C-alpha cells in the first residue's frame, strides 16, 4: 500500500512545529484538514504517530523514526525544486545541437553562452541525415539541416541561403580565377562528400541537369577531410560560401551558373519547443536574423 504525499506532508508539519494549528498555518490549510490527513495516515497503517492531549502533541517512538525519514524526504524535495527553478532561469542545464556545419550557428552559440554561462553547450557534427537521427532519438535538442524537411513533428527556422563555391589548392591552375562554370567541372577529378551530404546532392543535381559528368577522385567523410584532400591535390572540392571559412592553403571560386543555393534550416521537435533552453536559443537565432542585427550584436 502506497503512502500519500499529502498525508506525509501533514505529519511532517505537525511533527516539526509541535502543533496541528501551527502546521495548518504553515501549509495554508485548516486545522481540521491537517488533523484529518494525519488521522487517515494512522488508520491506513494501523499505527499511532502522536500522543495527543489538550495542551500538546508529542511524537511516539514510531513517529520519531518516521520524522527522520520525512526530514530527508522534504530536504530532497526542496533540492529538486531548487534545481528545477535554476533550470527554468537557465542557471544550469545543457543544450545539444546536431549540426551539418557549425559555422552557421557559432555566433549565436557564443551569444547564448555569454548570456547563460551556467548552461553547458555541446555540438554534434554530421550530415543532415545524421543530425535528424539525433534529433528524433532525443540525442539533440536542436538540429541544423542542409535541406528542407517536411515533417509535422518539426518546428523550423530557415536561415539565409548561400551560393555554391568550388575550391582548389593554391598551386592548382585554377587558383586566381574569379569564377568557374559547371562545364569546367565536367570530367574533372572531384573530392566528393559522403552519401547523404546535401552539398554533394546539390552538385550532382546541377551537373545532371546540365548533362555533365561527375568524375569522383575520392569520397571522404566530412568537410575537414574534403579540405585536406583538396590541399594535397587529389581534386576540386565544392562547399557553400558560408562554410568555406579562412584557410590560406586553398582558393575558392563561385560557380556562376549554379542555379541552386545552399539552404540551412534550424529545427526542433514541436513537443520540445516550449522548453526554456530551446525556446531561448531559438529567440537568439531570430534576433540575429533581424535587419541590422549584425551591427547591433557586434
Amino acid at each position: 500500500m502506497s503512502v500519500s504525499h499529502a498525508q506525509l506532508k501533514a505529519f511532517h508539519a505537525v511533527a516539526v512545529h509541535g502543533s496541528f494549528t501551527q502546521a495548518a498555518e504553515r501549509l495554508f490549510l485548516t486545522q481540521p484538514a491537517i488533523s484529518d490527513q494525519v488521522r487517515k495516515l494512522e488508520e491506513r497503517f494501523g499505527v499511532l504517530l502522536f500522543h495527543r492531549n489538550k495542551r500538546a502533541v508529542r511524537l511516539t517512538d514510531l513517529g520519531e523514526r518516521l520524522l527522520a525519514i520525512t526530514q530527508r524526504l522534504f530536504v530532497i524535495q526542496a533540492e529538486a525544486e531548487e534545481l528545477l527553478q535554476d533550470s527554468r532561469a537557465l542557471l544550469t542545464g545543457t543544450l545539444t545541437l546536431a549540426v551539418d556545419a557549425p559555422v552557421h550557428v557559432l555566433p549565436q552559440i557564443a551569444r547564448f553562452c555569454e548570456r547563460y554561462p551556467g548552461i553547458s553547450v555541446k555540438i554534434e557534427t554530421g550530415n543532415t541525415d545524421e543530425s535528424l537521427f539525433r534529433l528524433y532519438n532525443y540525442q539533440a535538442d536542436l538540429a541544423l539541416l542542409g535541406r528542407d524537411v517536411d515533417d509535422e513533428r518539426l518546428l523550423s527556422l530557415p536561415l539565409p541561403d548561400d551560393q555554391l563555391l568550388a575550391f582548389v589548392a593554391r598551386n592548382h591552375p585554377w587558383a586566381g580565377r574569379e569564377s568557374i562554370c559547371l562545364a569546367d567541372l565536367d570530367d574533372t577529378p572531384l573530392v566528393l562528400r559522403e552519401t547523404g551530404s546535401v552539398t554533394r546532392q546539390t552538385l550532382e543535381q546541377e551537373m545532371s541537369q546540365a548533362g555533365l559528368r561527375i568524375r569522383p577522385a575520392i569520397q571522404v567523410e566530412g568537410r575537414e577531410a574534403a579540405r585536406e584532400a583538396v590541399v594535397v591535390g587529389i581534386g576540386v572540392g565544392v562547399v557553400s560560401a558560408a562554410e568555406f571559412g579562412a584557410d590560406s592553403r586553398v582558393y575558392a571560386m563561385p560557380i556562376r551558373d549554379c542555379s541552386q543555393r545552399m539552404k540551412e534550416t534550424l529545427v526542433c521537435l514541436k513537443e520540445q519547443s516550449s522548453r526554456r533552453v530551446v525556446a531561448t536559443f531559438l529567440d537568439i537565432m531570430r534576433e540575429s536574423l533581424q535587419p541590422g542585427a549584425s551591427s547591433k550584436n557586434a
Side-chain angles (χ1 to χ4, degrees):
M1 126 182 29
S2 60
V3 183
S4 164
H5 183 269
Q7 292 169 2
L8 284 179
K9 194 172 183 179
F11 160 80
H12 183 77
V14 175
V16 168
H17 299 292
S19 163
F20 283 87
T21 301
Q22 289 186 36
E25 291 174 356
R26 293 300 181 109
L27 296 181
F28 303 101
L29 295 171
T30 65
Q31 188 271 334
I34 292 293
S35 297
D36 186 57
Q37 291 283 14
V38 173
R39 178 183 57 77
K40 286 179 178 178
L41 179 62
E42 291 177 320
E43 289 179 353
R44 184 174 191 178
F45 292 93
V47 297
L48 184 66
L49 299 172
F50 294 102
H51 296 297
R52 301 164 173 84
N53 58 46
K54 293 183 179 180
R55 294 185 178 181
V57 175
R58 184 168 55 86
L59 285 164
T60 64
D61 288 344
L62 180 62
E64 292 279 4
R65 290 159 59 192
L66 182 59
L67 175 61
I69 294 172
T70 58
Q71 283 175 329
R72 296 198 302 271
L73 171 66
F74 290 111
V75 165
I76 291 172
Q77 179 178 313
E79 289 176 354
E81 290 173 354
E82 183 178 339
L83 172 64
L84 293 172
Q85 290 291 346
D86 285 351
S87 181
R88 182 181 180 185
L90 298 185
L91 300 177
T92 61
T94 61
L95 177 68
T96 302
L97 295 97
V99 302
D100 65 334
V103 65
H104 297 284
V105 291
L106 284 178
Q108 293 81 9
I109 290 174
R111 202 165 303 133
F112 182 88
C113 292
E114 182 180 1
R115 294 182 188 178
Y116 308 103
I119 303 295
S120 175
V121 178
K122 183 179 181 182
I123 299 176
E124 299 279 359
T125 57
N127 62 40
T128 289
D129 291 339
E130 292 167 339
S131 296
L132 268 177
F133 177 84
R134 289 188 174 109
L135 185 72
Y136 287 141
N137 285 276
Y138 301 94
Q139 297 169 6
D141 303 302
L142 295 135
L144 184 65
L145 313 177
R147 68 170 184 271
D148 293 332
V149 176
D150 185 14
D151 189 328
E152 293 183 352
R153 293 174 292 175
L154 299 179
L155 175 70
S156 301
L157 178 63
L159 306 187
D161 55 21
D162 292 298
Q163 67 181 143
L164 211 58
L165 304 178
F167 65 102
V168 295
R170 281 286 175 177
N171 60 357
H172 191 279
W174 292 358
R177 290 178 60 171
E178 290 186 4
S179 64
I180 66 166
C181 61
L182 288 168
D184 291 319
L185 298 176
D186 185 41
D187 204 30
T188 296
L190 297 176
V191 175
L192 297 179
R193 289 280 307 280
E194 73 281 358
T195 302
S197 161
V198 176
T199 304
R200 174 174 175 169
Q201 292 171 2
T202 302
L203 177 64
E204 289 173 340
Q205 290 170 9
E206 290 283 325
M207 294 288 281
S208 176
Q209 290 171 6
L212 303 172
R213 296 161 295 176
I214 282 188
R215 179 181 162 194
I218 191 174
Q219 176 178 305
V220 296
E221 296 276 342
R223 288 176 179 81
E224 292 304 317
R227 184 181 296 265
E228 295 305 317
V230 170
V231 167
V232 299
I234 292 178
V236 178
V238 177
V239 70
S240 75
E243 296 164 14
F244 180 68
D247 190 330
S248 60
R249 302 173 300 163
V250 292
Y251 179 84
M253 304 150 285
I255 307 173
R256 58 180 179 269
D257 57 345
C258 184
S259 61
Q260 296 190 61
R261 294 178 67 87
M262 301 298 293
K263 299 178 180 179
E264 295 287 331
T265 304
L266 185 67
V267 301
C268 71
L269 294 171
K270 286 181 180 178
E271 66 186 66
Q272 300 281 324
S273 62
S274 61
R275 288 179 52 214
R276 183 73 184 276
V277 68
V278 173
T280 299
F281 188 80
L282 287 172
D283 286 343
I284 289 176
M285 288 298 303
R286 293 187 184 102
E287 286 175 17
S288 71
L289 298 176
Q290 296 298 317
S294 297
S295 59
K296 284 191 290 186
N297 293 320

